[in-house]
Amino acid sequence: MQRIFSGVQPTGNLHLGNYLGAIRNWVRLQNDYECIFCMVDLHAITVWQDPEQLRSNTREVAAAMIASGVDPHKNIIFNQSQVPQHAELAWIFNCVARLGWLDRMTQFKEKAGKDKERASVGLYAYPNLMAADILLYKATHVPVGEDQKQHLELCRDIAQKFNHDYKEEVFPIVEPLIFGEATRVMSLRDGSSKMSKSDASDASRINMTDDTDSIVKKIRKARTDAEPLPSEVAGLKGRAEAANLVGIYAALQDCTSQQVLDDFRGQGFGTFKPALAELAVDKLAVIQGEMRRLRDDPAHVDSIIRTGVEKARAIAEPIIREIHGKIGLLQP
Ligand code: TRP
């Protein structure tokens, strides 16, 4: 069976974008692949994290996965820091990747902003750690959003250079798995920016913990235009906000945007928004109930993560030993 690795940062509230763009897809993958799902806490600390928050966010992400239907018996759910081979392989990759490669990473430029002298070294080396996450398990496929494609490309470059330098096919060249529609959920306030936990406006996102009232209110207030919905997807061009809401509806309903338009063509947002709100409330209710139950039982979540850590280590240990051997690190 082919192996999937995916990571999610345990930082701040999970929102609909995380669910539709990542977690929901993982649920589908578990039947066809051996899946390793990781809360990447070492990636999280490339920018400041409050220790208590980090700990509780890590549990929260695991809970969200389980509540969404990721089966912890079938898959591996764990946090990165507890399998020390991630950090170890990342160091080795620091010595494989070239400065020029990392200099091209657009996410670093975005995250570091103007004052890059003050960004952490970890933020710069972040893609090497991500490559280590994936290659530590010789994963063959990685489900990623648009924004992570460049990092995955770097992972392939690292694997290729390593294989070339040590003259053996040690690492697979991973393939990205890109999903269908609406994997990229945009802000409810601005159709040109991604739904994000760091957006100052809470109205821009639907949090996984939002109650019915807030979900309905946020969708009602979502920015749109005054036109009715078109009959064809092509008619959504240049209407980012409308396209986003239709995309969210399609993703929640598990159909295409065109199918949504078949049902709502010619209707205004006065009709469409309440329908979308009802659908969102409905679909999220089950997951939210389960998340609450898990939040009240952190020991249970911890024991699932602990099992995941053990399973992950069991795969990682022989692979890191093989890599030591290839590089010539003495194993006395
Ligand atoms: N960089 C990813 C993100 O921010 C998270 C991540 C870390 C990841 N390691 C990974 C994703 C390995 C896929 C595979 O979304």
Side-chain angles (χ1 to χ4, degrees), residues 229-298:
L229 286 170
S231 55
E232 306 293 330
V233 175
L236 290 170
K237 227 174 151 208
R239 300 176 64 186
E241 283 83 13
N244 186 38
L245 294 187
V246 170
I248 292 173
Y249 192 104
L252 287 168
Q253 186 73 288
D254 217 351
C255 66
T256 63
S257 290
Q258 184 56 55
Q259 285 166 320
V260 177
L261 294 180
D262 290 345
D263 287 345
F264 288 96
R265 68 175 73 186
Q267 312 258 22
F269 287 98
T271 320
F272 184 66
K273 281 179 170 179
L276 175 60
E278 195 186 319
L279 180 65
V281 167
D282 235 45
K283 294 277 174 183
L284 292 182
V286 186
I287 300 168
Q288 291 178 323
E290 195 56 20
M291 278 180 77
R292 274 193 293 274
R293 204 182 59 78
L294 289 166
R295 183 180 283 173
D296 292 339
D297 192 0

Side-chain angles (χ1 to χ4, degrees), residues 9 47 56 88 122 146 163 212 247 257 261 269 302 309 317 330:
Q9 293 202 45
V47 296
S56 75
E88 199 183 331
E146 274 306 311
N163 291 348
T212 300
S257 290
L261 294 180
F269 287 98
D302 284 3
V309 166
E317 272 164 12
L330 177 68

Side-chain angles (χ1 to χ4, degrees), residues 215-231:
I215 296 175
V216 171
K217 213 174 279 162
K218 285 176 181 177
I219 291 178
R220 180 163 11 103
K221 288 195 177 154
R223 205 172 128 191
T224 47
D225 50 47
E227 301 295 312
L229 286 170
S231 55

Side-chain angles (χ1 to χ4, degrees), residues 148-320:
Q148 294 299 314
K149 268 189 173 165
Q150 194 186 31
H151 288 161
L152 209 61
E153 211 37 65
L154 186 92
C155 173
R156 292 160 62 99
D157 290 344
I158 288 175
Q160 235 138 20
K161 179 162 165 55
F162 189 100
N163 291 348
H164 179 264
D165 288 351
Y166 295 103
K167 299 180 182 55
E168 211 169 326
E169 295 299 301
V170 178
F171 294 118
I173 308 303
V174 291
E175 294 291 338
L177 280 178
I178 312 280
F179 289 94
E181 291 189 66
T183 50
R184 195 171 152 83
V185 178
M186 310 306 282
S187 156
L188 298 179
R189 309 297 308 161
D190 170 8
S192 67
S193 70
K194 213 172 130 172
M195 185 176 284
S196 160
K197 51 195 153 204
S198 51
D199 196 313
S201 161
D202 191 60
S204 72
R205 63 184 161 262
I206 293 173
N207 303 301
M208 291 306 281
T209 46
D210 280 349
D211 57 20
T212 300
D213 242 27
S214 342
I215 296 175
V216 171
K217 213 174 279 162
K218 285 176 181 177
I219 291 178
R220 180 163 11 103
K221 288 195 177 154
R223 205 172 128 191
T224 47
D225 50 47
E227 301 295 312
L229 286 170
S231 55
E232 306 293 330
V233 175
L236 290 170
K237 227 174 151 208
R239 300 176 64 186
E241 283 83 13
N244 186 38
L245 294 187
V246 170
I248 292 173
Y249 192 104
L252 287 168
Q253 186 73 288
D254 217 351
C255 66
T256 63
S257 290
Q258 184 56 55
Q259 285 166 320
V260 177
L261 294 180
D262 290 345
D263 287 345
F264 288 96
R265 68 175 73 186
Q267 312 258 22
F269 287 98
T271 320
F272 184 66
K273 281 179 170 179
L276 175 60
E278 195 186 319
L279 180 65
V281 167
D282 235 45
K283 294 277 174 183
L284 292 182
V286 186
I287 300 168
Q288 291 178 323
E290 195 56 20
M291 278 180 77
R292 274 193 293 274
R293 204 182 59 78
L294 289 166
R295 183 180 283 173
D296 292 339
D297 192 0
H300 177 60
V301 175
D302 284 3
S303 90
I304 287 172
I305 300 174
R306 217 177 303 118
T307 306
V309 166
E310 281 164 18
K311 290 199 268 186
R313 279 188 192 161
I315 301 174
E317 272 164 12
I319 293 178
I320 203 87

Side-chain angles (χ1 to χ4, degrees), residues 67-206:
S68 306
V70 175
D71 180 349
H73 300 293
K74 216 149 114 185
N75 306 283
I76 299 177
I77 299 175
F78 78 108
N79 60 326
Q80 187 186 31
S81 61
Q82 300 310 298
V83 179
Q85 288 84 357
H86 286 257
E88 199 183 331
L89 188 56
W91 176 260
I92 292 170
F93 287 169
N94 283 346
C95 305
V96 174
R98 308 288 95 185
L99 281 175
W101 301 359
L102 287 180
D103 280 341
R104 286 195 284 274
M105 295 294 117
T106 54
Q107 185 169 301
F108 174 77
K109 290 178 202 162
E110 274 162 34
K111 284 198 179 172
K114 284 200 182 67
D115 199 1
K116 77 175 175 24
E117 297 294 309
R118 295 181 60 87
S120 73
V121 174
L123 189 67
Y124 185 71
Y126 178 117
N128 292 346
L129 177 59
M130 180 163 158
D133 296 341
I134 298 164
L135 297 177
L136 181 57
Y137 303 94
K138 299 192 178 182
T140 51
H141 293 80
V142 178
V144 283
E146 274 306 311
D147 63 327
Q148 294 299 314
K149 268 189 173 165
Q150 194 186 31
H151 288 161
L152 209 61
E153 211 37 65
L154 186 92
C155 173
R156 292 160 62 99
D157 290 344
I158 288 175
Q160 235 138 20
K161 179 162 165 55
F162 189 100
N163 291 348
H164 179 264
D165 288 351
Y166 295 103
K167 299 180 182 55
E168 211 169 326
E169 295 299 301
V170 178
F171 294 118
I173 308 303
V174 291
E175 294 291 338
L177 280 178
I178 312 280
F179 289 94
E181 291 189 66
T183 50
R184 195 171 152 83
V185 178
M186 310 306 282
S187 156
L188 298 179
R189 309 297 308 161
D190 170 8
S192 67
S193 70
K194 213 172 130 172
M195 185 176 284
S196 160
K197 51 195 153 204
S198 51
D199 196 313
S201 161
D202 191 60
S204 72
R205 63 184 161 262
I206 293 173

